[in-house]
Amino acid sequence: CFILFLFSVQTAHRTPKDRGTLLNSLLRTRVVHLTRFPFDTSARHYTAQNVAKMSIVTLMVAGSTSSVHAEKRFDKGSTIRTVKTKLELVVGIPAASMKLVLRDPNGTDICVMDDDDAFLGRYPVEDFLTLYVKNTDMTARVGEYEDVSKVEKFELTTEEYEQRAGTVQHFKRKHKLGRFNPEFADKVLAQAEEEEAAVQAMNIGDRCEVITKNGTHRGEVRFKGGVDFSAGNWVGVKLDEPYGKNNGSVKGRQYFECPDKYGVFVKPSNITVGDFPEEDLGLSDDEL
């Protein structure tokens, strides 16, 4: 419409031939402008309507001084300065030290996003291209923000923790909860005494029936006493069938010998010693 308006104004007193020449000139100028516009790197050419038409783009973010490889979504209507601010928490590089490079899936550089006031959409961004963040700080080291061993730790001794207010232990002691409850302590002591008595009454080789997470099974007592993997007394049993968890060893220590998956450890409260012969599965010699 604008071209037709210019044409009507400028050709009011011209001959038909001159009118044709002027129209071709106007159209040629407009086509050149439309051709250049998508690649125009000036943010001021983007009107509010153009920005509104922009969409969300998904880019793969990577950094030169971090091992981050993240998939992030960006609004093409955001400025490069805004994008850098959002990237600070992703790659751990200050926005002032960032140099953004757009790369294709093969790692080849497409362009450098060096205009902080420009919109992201002015660059040829497409889904799943890589937004590579270079750290221009020459003193920065690769992975310097990822090595937690260099972070100063806040440590307390057991004595300092016990004297500190506002802790979980302080709350439990104040309200007499858990081991700070005299009744609880008496209950734990009584339970320990019962377990000790039950273990002393057992003998290695006794037939037994144990309760495990996958049911009740029969077997033979092969170990009793304290262990390295937990507190209190435990009983090691060789099951008649492979419903166990181990071969009599836990965390590298062998407590008794048995085939794999036949060994299991249970608390004394989950075992009953008595006349529990091996169960007959009802199979004949031929079936076995």
PDB file of all heavy atoms in Angstrom, residues 50-73:
ATOM      1  N   ASN A  50       7.027  -7.415  15.269  1.00  0.00           N
ATOM      2  CA  ASN A  50       7.981  -8.443  14.868  1.00  0.00           C
ATOM      3  C   ASN A  50       8.416  -9.270  16.064  1.00  0.00           C
ATOM      4  O   ASN A  50       8.540 -10.492  15.981  1.00  0.00           O
ATOM      5  CB  ASN A  50       9.208  -7.807  14.212  1.00  0.00           C
ATOM      6  CG  ASN A  50       8.882  -7.236  12.840  1.00  0.00           C
ATOM      7  OD1 ASN A  50       8.002  -7.747  12.160  1.00  0.00           O
ATOM      8  ND2 ASN A  50       9.572  -6.186  12.455  1.00  0.00           N
ATOM      9  N   VAL A  51       8.676  -8.593  17.183  1.00  0.00           N
ATOM     10  CA  VAL A  51       9.098  -9.302  18.379  1.00  0.00           C
ATOM     11  C   VAL A  51       7.999 -10.235  18.856  1.00  0.00           C
ATOM     12  O   VAL A  51       8.240 -11.353  19.300  1.00  0.00           O
ATOM     13  CB  VAL A  51       9.473  -8.309  19.506  1.00  0.00           C
ATOM     14  CG1 VAL A  51       9.743  -9.048  20.800  1.00  0.00           C
ATOM     15  CG2 VAL A  51      10.693  -7.504  19.094  1.00  0.00           C
ATOM     16  N   ALA A  52       6.750  -9.798  18.782  1.00  0.00           N
ATOM     17  CA  ALA A  52       5.620 -10.613  19.223  1.00  0.00           C
ATOM     18  C   ALA A  52       5.504 -11.895  18.414  1.00  0.00           C
ATOM     19  O   ALA A  52       5.020 -12.908  18.908  1.00  0.00           O
ATOM     20  CB  ALA A  52       4.332  -9.806  19.133  1.00  0.00           C
ATOM     21  N   LYS A  53       5.955 -11.835  17.150  1.00  0.00           N
ATOM     22  CA  LYS A  53       5.864 -13.005  16.279  1.00  0.00           C
ATOM     23  C   LYS A  53       6.999 -13.989  16.528  1.00  0.00           C
ATOM     24  O   LYS A  53       6.984 -15.095  16.020  1.00  0.00           O
ATOM     25  CB  LYS A  53       5.868 -12.566  14.813  1.00  0.00           C
ATOM     26  CG  LYS A  53       4.631 -11.778  14.418  1.00  0.00           C
ATOM     27  CD  LYS A  53       4.703 -11.368  12.962  1.00  0.00           C
ATOM     28  CE  LYS A  53       3.479 -10.571  12.547  1.00  0.00           C
ATOM     29  NZ  LYS A  53       3.544 -10.138  11.148  1.00  0.00           N
ATOM     30  N   MET A  54       8.016 -13.573  17.276  1.00  0.00           N
ATOM     31  CA  MET A  54       9.143 -14.453  17.534  1.00  0.00           C
ATOM     32  C   MET A  54       8.727 -15.613  18.427  1.00  0.00           C
ATOM     33  O   MET A  54       7.837 -15.479  19.258  1.00  0.00           O
ATOM     34  CB  MET A  54      10.290 -13.677  18.183  1.00  0.00           C
ATOM     35  CG  MET A  54      10.943 -12.672  17.251  1.00  0.00           C
ATOM     36  SD  MET A  54      12.291 -11.807  18.032  1.00  0.00           S
ATOM     37  CE  MET A  54      12.830 -10.769  16.664  1.00  0.00           C
ATOM     38  N   SER A  55       9.420 -16.734  18.297  1.00  0.00           N
ATOM     39  CA  SER A  55       9.063 -17.933  19.046  1.00  0.00           C
ATOM     40  C   SER A  55      10.169 -18.322  20.016  1.00  0.00           C
ATOM     41  O   SER A  55      11.186 -17.659  20.124  1.00  0.00           O
ATOM     42  CB  SER A  55       8.797 -19.076  18.061  1.00  0.00           C
ATOM     43  OG  SER A  55       9.961 -19.337  17.290  1.00  0.00           O
ATOM     44  N   ILE A  56       9.928 -19.409  20.718  1.00  0.00           N
ATOM     45  CA  ILE A  56      10.907 -19.949  21.640  1.00  0.00           C
ATOM     46  C   ILE A  56      11.843 -20.889  20.888  1.00  0.00           C
ATOM     47  O   ILE A  56      11.400 -21.678  20.054  1.00  0.00           O
ATOM     48  CB  ILE A  56      10.207 -20.715  22.785  1.00  0.00           C
ATOM     49  CG1 ILE A  56       9.253 -19.786  23.541  1.00  0.00           C
ATOM     50  CG2 ILE A  56      11.236 -21.314  23.727  1.00  0.00           C
ATOM     51  CD1 ILE A  56       9.923 -18.614  24.213  1.00  0.00           C
ATOM     52  N   VAL A  57      13.123 -20.819  21.190  1.00  0.00           N
ATOM     53  CA  VAL A  57      14.103 -21.672  20.532  1.00  0.00           C
ATOM     54  C   VAL A  57      14.822 -22.500  21.602  1.00  0.00           C
ATOM     55  O   VAL A  57      15.098 -22.021  22.698  1.00  0.00           O
ATOM     56  CB  VAL A  57      15.121 -20.842  19.709  1.00  0.00           C
ATOM     57  CG1 VAL A  57      15.941 -19.934  20.604  1.00  0.00           C
ATOM     58  CG2 VAL A  57      16.023 -21.755  18.883  1.00  0.00           C
ATOM     59  N   THR A  58      15.098 -23.749  21.279  1.00  0.00           N
ATOM     60  CA  THR A  58      15.799 -24.654  22.192  1.00  0.00           C
ATOM     61  C   THR A  58      17.249 -24.773  21.758  1.00  0.00           C
ATOM     62  O   THR A  58      17.528 -25.181  20.626  1.00  0.00           O
ATOM     63  CB  THR A  58      15.149 -26.049  22.200  1.00  0.00           C
ATOM     64  OG1 THR A  58      13.780 -25.928  22.597  1.00  0.00           O
ATOM     65  CG2 THR A  58      15.867 -26.976  23.162  1.00  0.00           C
ATOM     66  N   LEU A  59      18.174 -24.408  22.639  1.00  0.00           N
ATOM     67  CA  LEU A  59      19.603 -24.438  22.331  1.00  0.00           C
ATOM     68  C   LEU A  59      20.339 -25.333  23.318  1.00  0.00           C
ATOM     69  O   LEU A  59      19.946 -25.456  24.479  1.00  0.00           O
ATOM     70  CB  LEU A  59      20.187 -23.021  22.378  1.00  0.00           C
ATOM     71  CG  LEU A  59      19.594 -21.998  21.404  1.00  0.00           C
ATOM     72  CD1 LEU A  59      20.194 -20.622  21.645  1.00  0.00           C
ATOM     73  CD2 LEU A  59      19.828 -22.438  19.954  1.00  0.00           C
ATOM     74  N   MET A  60      21.419 -25.944  22.853  1.00  0.00           N
ATOM     75  CA  MET A  60      22.277 -26.751  23.707  1.00  0.00           C
ATOM     76  C   MET A  60      23.385 -25.847  24.247  1.00  0.00           C
ATOM     77  O   MET A  60      24.153 -25.285  23.474  1.00  0.00           O
ATOM     78  CB  MET A  60      22.883 -27.921  22.925  1.00  0.00           C
ATOM     79  CG  MET A  60      21.848 -28.741  22.157  1.00  0.00           C
ATOM     80  SD  MET A  60      20.517 -29.379  23.203  1.00  0.00           S
ATOM     81  CE  MET A  60      21.452 -30.497  24.258  1.00  0.00           C
ATOM     82  N   VAL A  61      23.439 -25.692  25.552  1.00  0.00           N
ATOM     83  CA  VAL A  61      24.386 -24.763  26.184  1.00  0.00           C
ATOM     84  C   VAL A  61      25.622 -25.512  26.651  1.00  0.00           C
ATOM     85  O   VAL A  61      25.529 -26.559  27.294  1.00  0.00           O
ATOM     86  CB  VAL A  61      23.727 -24.047  27.374  1.00  0.00           C
ATOM     87  CG1 VAL A  61      24.727 -23.144  28.080  1.00  0.00           C
ATOM     88  CG2 VAL A  61      22.525 -23.240  26.898  1.00  0.00           C
ATOM     89  N   ALA A  62      26.793 -24.968  26.329  1.00  0.00           N
ATOM     90  CA  ALA A  62      28.069 -25.523  26.778  1.00  0.00           C
ATOM     91  C   ALA A  62      28.985 -24.369  27.154  1.00  0.00           C
ATOM     92  O   ALA A  62      28.826 -23.251  26.656  1.00  0.00           O
ATOM     93  CB  ALA A  62      28.706 -26.386  25.693  1.00  0.00           C
ATOM     94  N   GLY A  63      29.943 -24.630  28.041  1.00  0.00           N
ATOM     95  CA  GLY A  63      30.856 -23.587  28.490  1.00  0.00           C
ATOM     96  C   GLY A  63      32.307 -23.996  28.346  1.00  0.00           C
ATOM     97  O   GLY A  63      32.640 -25.188  28.412  1.00  0.00           O
ATOM     98  N   SER A  64      33.180 -23.012  28.178  1.00  0.00           N
ATOM     99  CA  SER A  64      34.600 -23.300  27.986  1.00  0.00           C
ATOM    100  C   SER A  64      35.304 -23.654  29.286  1.00  0.00           C
ATOM    101  O   SER A  64      36.326 -24.334  29.276  1.00  0.00           O
ATOM    102  CB  SER A  64      35.289 -22.102  27.337  1.00  0.00           C
ATOM    103  OG  SER A  64      35.198 -20.953  28.174  1.00  0.00           O
ATOM    104  N   THR A  65      34.783 -23.192  30.421  1.00  0.00           N
ATOM    105  CA  THR A  65      35.435 -23.472  31.708  1.00  0.00           C
ATOM    106  C   THR A  65      34.555 -24.304  32.626  1.00  0.00           C
ATOM    107  O   THR A  65      34.716 -24.278  33.835  1.00  0.00           O
ATOM    108  CB  THR A  65      35.813 -22.153  32.417  1.00  0.00           C
ATOM    109  OG1 THR A  65      34.649 -21.338  32.537  1.00  0.00           O
ATOM    110  CG2 THR A  65      36.882 -21.415  31.648  1.00  0.00           C
ATOM    111  N   SER A  66      33.611 -25.044  32.047  1.00  0.00           N
ATOM    112  CA  SER A  66      32.760 -25.924  32.846  1.00  0.00           C
ATOM    113  C   SER A  66      32.380 -27.127  32.002  1.00  0.00           C
ATOM    114  O   SER A  66      32.513 -27.117  30.777  1.00  0.00           O
ATOM    115  CB  SER A  66      31.492 -25.195  33.303  1.00  0.00           C
ATOM    116  OG  SER A  66      30.657 -24.906  32.204  1.00  0.00           O
ATOM    117  N   SER A  67      31.927 -28.179  32.674  1.00  0.00           N
ATOM    118  CA  SER A  67      31.539 -29.409  31.979  1.00  0.00           C
ATOM    119  C   SER A  67      30.048 -29.447  31.694  1.00  0.00           C
ATOM    120  O   SER A  67      29.498 -30.499  31.411  1.00  0.00           O
ATOM    121  CB  SER A  67      31.933 -30.622  32.828  1.00  0.00           C
ATOM    122  OG  SER A  67      31.313 -30.559  34.102  1.00  0.00           O
ATOM    123  N   VAL A  68      29.398 -28.291  31.761  1.00  0.00           N
ATOM    124  CA  VAL A  68      27.954 -28.220  31.572  1.00  0.00           C
ATOM    125  C   VAL A  68      27.583 -28.484  30.114  1.00  0.00           C
ATOM    126  O   VAL A  68      28.194 -27.933  29.190  1.00  0.00           O
ATOM    127  CB  VAL A  68      27.416 -26.841  31.999  1.00  0.00           C
ATOM    128  CG1 VAL A  68      25.948 -26.710  31.643  1.00  0.00           C
ATOM    129  CG2 VAL A  68      27.611 -26.652  33.487  1.00  0.00           C
ATOM    130  N   HIS A  69      26.602 -29.342  29.909  1.00  0.00           N
ATOM    131  CA  HIS A  69      25.985 -29.559  28.606  1.00  0.00           C
ATOM    132  C   HIS A  69      24.488 -29.659  28.864  1.00  0.00           C
ATOM    133  O   HIS A  69      23.975 -30.733  29.172  1.00  0.00           O
ATOM    134  CB  HIS A  69      26.514 -30.818  27.931  1.00  0.00           C
ATOM    135  CG  HIS A  69      27.927 -30.703  27.453  1.00  0.00           C
ATOM    136  ND1 HIS A  69      29.011 -30.910  28.286  1.00  0.00           N
ATOM    137  CD2 HIS A  69      28.441 -30.341  26.256  1.00  0.00           C
ATOM    138  CE1 HIS A  69      30.121 -30.727  27.615  1.00  0.00           C
ATOM    139  NE2 HIS A  69      29.809 -30.371  26.380  1.00  0.00           N
ATOM    140  N   ALA A  70      23.807 -28.522  28.760  1.00  0.00           N
ATOM    141  CA  ALA A  70      22.399 -28.466  29.139  1.00  0.00           C
ATOM    142  C   ALA A  70      21.541 -28.021  27.962  1.00  0.00           C
ATOM    143  O   ALA A  70      21.982 -27.261  27.098  1.00  0.00           O
ATOM    144  CB  ALA A  70      22.214 -27.503  30.313  1.00  0.00           C
ATOM    145  N   GLU A  71      20.314 -28.489  27.970  1.00  0.00           N
ATOM    146  CA  GLU A  71      19.325 -28.087  26.962  1.00  0.00           C
ATOM    147  C   GLU A  71      18.453 -27.000  27.572  1.00  0.00           C
ATOM    148  O   GLU A  71      17.777 -27.238  28.558  1.00  0.00           O
ATOM    149  CB  GLU A  71      18.497 -29.292  26.543  1.00  0.00           C
ATOM    150  CG  GLU A  71      17.431 -28.983  25.506  1.00  0.00           C
ATOM    151  CD  GLU A  71      16.618 -30.207  25.128  1.00  0.00           C
ATOM    152  OE1 GLU A  71      17.233 -31.259  24.838  1.00  0.00           O
ATOM    153  OE2 GLU A  71      15.373 -30.120  25.139  1.00  0.00           O
ATOM    154  N   LYS A  72      18.490 -25.808  26.986  1.00  0.00           N
ATOM    155  CA  LYS A  72      17.759 -24.672  27.539  1.00  0.00           C
ATOM    156  C   LYS A  72      16.901 -24.021  26.462  1.00  0.00           C
ATOM    157  O   LYS A  72      17.258 -24.014  25.276  1.00  0.00           O
ATOM    158  CB  LYS A  72      18.724 -23.632  28.121  1.00  0.00           C
ATOM    159  CG  LYS A  72      19.528 -24.137  29.313  1.00  0.00           C
ATOM    160  CD  LYS A  72      18.634 -24.410  30.513  1.00  0.00           C
ATOM    161  CE  LYS A  72      19.428 -24.919  31.700  1.00  0.00           C
ATOM    162  NZ  LYS A  72      18.572 -25.185  32.867  1.00  0.00           N
ATOM    163  N   ARG A  73      15.779 -23.431  26.905  1.00  0.00           N
ATOM    164  CA  ARG A  73      14.869 -22.745  25.986  1.00  0.00           C
ATOM    165  C   ARG A  73      15.004 -21.244  26.194  1.00  0.00           C
ATOM    166  O   ARG A  73      15.045 -20.765  27.327  1.00  0.00           O
ATOM    167  CB  ARG A  73      13.431 -23.204  26.225  1.00  0.00           C
ATOM    168  CG  ARG A  73      13.248 -24.696  26.076  1.00  0.00           C
ATOM    169  CD  ARG A  73      11.827 -25.112  26.359  1.00  0.00           C
ATOM    170  NE  ARG A  73      10.916 -24.698  25.306  1.00  0.00           N
ATOM    171  CZ  ARG A  73       9.667 -24.335  25.494  1.00  0.00           C
ATOM    172  NH1 ARG A  73       9.178 -24.295  26.714  1.00  0.00           N
ATOM    173  NH2 ARG A  73       8.905 -23.987  24.481  1.00  0.00           N
TER     174      ARG A  73
END
